[in-house]
PDB file of all heavy atoms in Angstrom:
ATOM      1  N   ALA A 125     139.438  61.250-112.041  1.00 97.00           N
ATOM      2  CA  ALA A 125     140.738  61.150-112.713  1.00 97.00           C
ATOM      3  C   ALA A 125     141.580  59.984-112.195  1.00 97.00           C
ATOM      4  O   ALA A 125     142.773  59.902-112.511  1.00 97.00           O
ATOM      5  CB  ALA A 125     141.506  62.459-112.522  1.00 97.00           C
ATOM      6  N   ALA A 126     140.985  59.073-111.435  1.00 97.00           N
ATOM      7  CA  ALA A 126     141.736  57.987-110.811  1.00 97.00           C
ATOM      8  C   ALA A 126     142.386  57.075-111.844  1.00 97.00           C
ATOM      9  O   ALA A 126     141.839  56.839-112.930  1.00 97.00           O
ATOM     10  CB  ALA A 126     140.816  57.166-109.909  1.00 97.00           C
ATOM     11  N   SER A 127     143.548  56.559-111.507  1.00 96.00           N
ATOM     12  CA  SER A 127     144.263  55.658-112.416  1.00 96.00           C
ATOM     13  C   SER A 127     143.805  54.219-112.212  1.00 96.00           C
ATOM     14  O   SER A 127     143.336  53.845-111.133  1.00 96.00           O
ATOM     15  CB  SER A 127     145.769  55.767-112.188  1.00 96.00           C
ATOM     16  OG  SER A 127     146.086  55.510-110.837  1.00 96.00           O
ATOM     17  N   VAL A 128     143.953  53.416-113.243  1.00 96.00           N
ATOM     18  CA  VAL A 128     143.517  52.021-113.225  1.00 96.00           C
ATOM     19  C   VAL A 128     144.164  51.278-112.056  1.00 96.00           C
ATOM     20  O   VAL A 128     145.371  51.402-111.811  1.00 96.00           O
ATOM     21  CB  VAL A 128     143.893  51.328-114.550  1.00 96.00           C
ATOM     22  CG1 VAL A 128     143.469  49.859-114.523  1.00 96.00           C
ATOM     23  CG2 VAL A 128     143.254  52.038-115.724  1.00 96.00           C
ATOM     24  N   GLY A 129     143.360  50.516-111.330  1.00 92.00           N
ATOM     25  CA  GLY A 129     143.875  49.707-110.240  1.00 92.00           C
ATOM     26  C   GLY A 129     143.997  50.431-108.913  1.00 92.00           C
ATOM     27  O   GLY A 129     144.245  49.800-107.890  1.00 92.00           O
ATOM     28  N   SER A 130     143.809  51.755-108.913  1.00 94.00           N
ATOM     29  CA  SER A 130     143.896  52.501-107.656  1.00 94.00           C
ATOM     30  C   SER A 130     142.618  52.309-106.841  1.00 94.00           C
ATOM     31  O   SER A 130     141.587  51.869-107.354  1.00 94.00           O
ATOM     32  CB  SER A 130     144.116  53.988-107.931  1.00 94.00           C
ATOM     33  OG  SER A 130     142.968  54.564-108.535  1.00 94.00           O
ATOM     34  N   GLU A 131     142.705  52.667-105.575  1.00 93.00           N
ATOM     35  CA  GLU A 131     141.552  52.495-104.688  1.00 93.00           C
ATOM     36  C   GLU A 131     140.359  53.323-105.138  1.00 93.00           C
ATOM     37  O   GLU A 131     139.204  52.942-104.932  1.00 93.00           O
ATOM     38  CB  GLU A 131     141.968  52.897-103.265  1.00 93.00           C
ATOM     39  CG  GLU A 131     140.944  52.552-102.197  1.00 93.00           C
ATOM     40  CD  GLU A 131     141.441  52.872-100.793  1.00 93.00           C
ATOM     41  OE1 GLU A 131     142.658  52.842-100.563  1.00 93.00           O
ATOM     42  OE2 GLU A 131     140.587  53.157 -99.940  1.00 93.00           O
ATOM     43  N   GLU A 132     140.615  54.458-105.782  1.00 95.00           N
ATOM     44  CA  GLU A 132     139.538  55.368-106.174  1.00 95.00           C
ATOM     45  C   GLU A 132     138.983  55.076-107.572  1.00 95.00           C
ATOM     46  O   GLU A 132     137.997  55.672-107.989  1.00 95.00           O
ATOM     47  CB  GLU A 132     140.050  56.816-106.126  1.00 95.00           C
ATOM     48  CG  GLU A 132     140.369  57.279-104.705  1.00 95.00           C
ATOM     49  CD  GLU A 132     141.197  58.544-104.689  1.00 95.00           C
ATOM     50  OE1 GLU A 132     142.045  58.711-105.583  1.00 95.00           O
ATOM     51  OE2 GLU A 132     141.011  59.363-103.779  1.00 95.00           O
ATOM     52  N   TYR A 133     139.627  54.162-108.290  1.00 96.00           N
ATOM     53  CA  TYR A 133     139.208  53.860-109.664  1.00 96.00           C
ATOM     54  C   TYR A 133     137.929  53.034-109.644  1.00 96.00           C
ATOM     55  O   TYR A 133     137.824  52.036-108.932  1.00 96.00           O
ATOM     56  CB  TYR A 133     140.304  53.089-110.375  1.00 96.00           C
ATOM     57  CG  TYR A 133     140.034  52.791-111.839  1.00 96.00           C
ATOM     58  CD1 TYR A 133     140.145  53.783-112.806  1.00 96.00           C
ATOM     59  CD2 TYR A 133     139.687  51.516-112.258  1.00 96.00           C
ATOM     60  CE1 TYR A 133     139.925  53.510-114.145  1.00 96.00           C
ATOM     61  CE2 TYR A 133     139.468  51.231-113.592  1.00 96.00           C
ATOM     62  CZ  TYR A 133     139.583  52.228-114.535  1.00 96.00           C
ATOM     63  OH  TYR A 133     139.363  51.957-115.873  1.00 96.00           O
ATOM     64  N   GLY A 134     136.958  53.478-110.433  1.00 96.00           N
ATOM     65  CA  GLY A 134     135.686  52.764-110.488  1.00 96.00           C
ATOM     66  C   GLY A 134     134.936  53.093-111.766  1.00 96.00           C
ATOM     67  O   GLY A 134     135.509  53.516-112.766  1.00 96.00           O
ATOM     68  N   ARG A 135     133.636  52.902-111.698  1.00 96.00           N
ATOM     69  CA  ARG A 135     132.789  53.117-112.873  1.00 96.00           C
ATOM     70  C   ARG A 135     132.976  54.522-113.448  1.00 96.00           C
ATOM     71  O   ARG A 135     133.087  54.697-114.660  1.00 96.00           O
ATOM     72  CB  ARG A 135     131.324  52.905-112.471  1.00 96.00           C
ATOM     73  CG  ARG A 135     130.324  53.194-113.576  1.00 96.00           C
ATOM     74  CD  ARG A 135     128.903  53.191-113.030  1.00 96.00           C
ATOM     75  NE  ARG A 135     127.946  53.586-114.041  1.00 96.00           N
ATOM     76  CZ  ARG A 135     126.696  53.962-113.783  1.00 96.00           C
ATOM     77  NH1 ARG A 135     126.257  53.970-112.530  1.00 96.00           N
ATOM     78  NH2 ARG A 135     125.882  54.328-114.757  1.00 96.00           N
ATOM     79  N   LEU A 136     133.001  55.516-112.563  1.00 97.00           N
ATOM     80  CA  LEU A 136     133.099  56.903-113.008  1.00 97.00           C
ATOM     81  C   LEU A 136     134.364  57.134-113.834  1.00 97.00           C
ATOM     82  O   LEU A 136     134.305  57.658-114.955  1.00 97.00           O
ATOM     83  CB  LEU A 136     133.086  57.834-111.797  1.00 97.00           C
ATOM     84  CG  LEU A 136     133.179  59.324-112.083  1.00 97.00           C
ATOM     85  CD1 LEU A 136     131.915  59.827-112.761  1.00 97.00           C
ATOM     86  CD2 LEU A 136     133.424  60.097-110.785  1.00 97.00           C
ATOM     87  N   ALA A 137     135.513  56.741-113.301  1.00 98.00           N
ATOM     88  CA  ALA A 137     136.778  56.964-114.005  1.00 98.00           C
ATOM     89  C   ALA A 137     136.845  56.171-115.292  1.00 98.00           C
ATOM     90  O   ALA A 137     137.396  56.640-116.297  1.00 98.00           O
ATOM     91  CB  ALA A 137     137.948  56.599-113.092  1.00 98.00           C
ATOM     92  N   MET A 138     136.294  54.956-115.297  1.00 98.00           N
ATOM     93  CA  MET A 138     136.329  54.143-116.510  1.00 98.00           C
ATOM     94  C   MET A 138     135.495  54.774-117.618  1.00 98.00           C
ATOM     95  O   MET A 138     135.936  54.874-118.764  1.00 98.00           O
ATOM     96  CB  MET A 138     135.834  52.723-116.220  1.00 98.00           C
ATOM     97  CG  MET A 138     135.939  51.804-117.425  1.00 98.00           C
ATOM     98  SD  MET A 138     135.389  50.111-117.089  1.00 98.00           S
ATOM     99  CE  MET A 138     136.825  49.431-116.241  1.00 98.00           C
ATOM    100  N   VAL A 139     134.294  55.221-117.281  1.00 97.00           N
ATOM    101  CA  VAL A 139     133.421  55.823-118.298  1.00 97.00           C
ATOM    102  C   VAL A 139     134.003  57.136-118.812  1.00 97.00           C
ATOM    103  O   VAL A 139     134.123  57.354-120.016  1.00 97.00           O
ATOM    104  CB  VAL A 139     132.001  56.050-117.729  1.00 97.00           C
ATOM    105  CG1 VAL A 139     131.181  56.927-118.667  1.00 97.00           C
ATOM    106  CG2 VAL A 139     131.300  54.716-117.521  1.00 97.00           C
ATOM    107  N   VAL A 140     134.384  58.014-117.895  1.00 97.00           N
ATOM    108  CA  VAL A 140     134.905  59.314-118.315  1.00 97.00           C
ATOM    109  C   VAL A 140     136.217  59.144-119.074  1.00 97.00           C
ATOM    110  O   VAL A 140     136.474  59.825-120.067  1.00 97.00           O
ATOM    111  CB  VAL A 140     135.068  60.262-117.111  1.00 97.00           C
ATOM    112  CG1 VAL A 140     135.642  61.599-117.547  1.00 97.00           C
ATOM    113  CG2 VAL A 140     133.719  60.489-116.433  1.00 97.00           C
ATOM    114  N   GLY A 141     137.048  58.191-118.637  1.00 97.00           N
ATOM    115  CA  GLY A 141     138.311  57.953-119.304  1.00 97.00           C
ATOM    116  C   GLY A 141     138.157  57.387-120.700  1.00 97.00           C
ATOM    117  O   GLY A 141     139.041  57.566-121.550  1.00 97.00           O
ATOM    118  N   PHE A 142     137.058  56.703-120.956  1.00 97.00           N
ATOM    119  CA  PHE A 142     136.773  56.212-122.307  1.00 97.00           C
ATOM    120  C   PHE A 142     136.419  57.364-123.238  1.00 97.00           C
ATOM    121  O   PHE A 142     136.903  57.448-124.367  1.00 97.00           O
ATOM    122  CB  PHE A 142     135.620  55.205-122.268  1.00 97.00           C
ATOM    123  CG  PHE A 142     135.130  54.773-123.623  1.00 97.00           C
ATOM    124  CD1 PHE A 142     135.887  53.930-124.415  1.00 97.00           C
ATOM    125  CD2 PHE A 142     133.897  55.205-124.109  1.00 97.00           C
ATOM    126  CE1 PHE A 142     135.427  53.530-125.670  1.00 97.00           C
ATOM    127  CE2 PHE A 142     133.429  54.817-125.354  1.00 97.00           C
ATOM    128  CZ  PHE A 142     134.198  53.972-126.136  1.00 97.00           C
ATOM    129  N   PHE A 143     135.605  58.291-122.748  1.00 97.00           N
ATOM    130  CA  PHE A 143     135.117  59.370-123.590  1.00 97.00           C
ATOM    131  C   PHE A 143     136.085  60.554-123.693  1.00 97.00           C
ATOM    132  O   PHE A 143     136.126  61.230-124.725  1.00 97.00           O
ATOM    133  CB  PHE A 143     133.771  59.890-123.067  1.00 97.00           C
ATOM    134  CG  PHE A 143     132.615  58.981-123.334  1.00 97.00           C
ATOM    135  CD1 PHE A 143     132.126  58.149-122.332  1.00 97.00           C
ATOM    136  CD2 PHE A 143     132.010  58.944-124.575  1.00 97.00           C
ATOM    137  CE1 PHE A 143     131.067  57.306-122.574  1.00 97.00           C
ATOM    138  CE2 PHE A 143     130.935  58.105-124.828  1.00 97.00           C
ATOM    139  CZ  PHE A 143     130.463  57.275-123.824  1.00 97.00           C
ATOM    140  N   CYS A 144     136.819  60.819-122.622  1.00 97.00           N
ATOM    141  CA  CYS A 144     137.540  62.097-122.538  1.00 97.00           C
ATOM    142  C   CYS A 144     138.954  61.969-121.984  1.00 97.00           C
ATOM    143  O   CYS A 144     139.291  61.002-121.305  1.00 97.00           O
ATOM    144  CB  CYS A 144     136.783  63.061-121.605  1.00 97.00           C
ATOM    145  SG  CYS A 144     135.151  63.514-122.162  1.00 97.00           S
ATOM    146  N   ARG A 145     139.725  63.011-122.240  1.00 97.00           N
ATOM    147  CA  ARG A 145     140.976  63.231-121.523  1.00 97.00           C
ATOM    148  C   ARG A 145     140.640  64.169-120.351  1.00 97.00           C
ATOM    149  O   ARG A 145     139.888  65.125-120.512  1.00 97.00           O
ATOM    150  CB  ARG A 145     142.023  63.857-122.438  1.00 97.00           C
ATOM    151  CG  ARG A 145     142.323  62.988-123.640  1.00 97.00           C
ATOM    152  CD  ARG A 145     143.717  63.197-124.211  1.00 97.00           C
ATOM    153  NE  ARG A 145     143.970  62.249-125.290  1.00 97.00           N
ATOM    154  CZ  ARG A 145     144.340  60.991-125.126  1.00 97.00           C
ATOM    155  NH1 ARG A 145     144.503  60.532-123.891  1.00 97.00           N
ATOM    156  NH2 ARG A 145     144.547  60.184-126.135  1.00 97.00           N
TER     157      ARG A 145
END
Side-chain angles (χ1 to χ4, degrees):
S127 56
V128 179
S130 68
E131 190 176 332
E132 293 165 325
Y133 184 75
R135 176 190 175 196
L136 180 69
M138 184 179 281
V139 168
V140 179
F142 173 72
F143 286 100
C144 297
R145 301 206 175 279

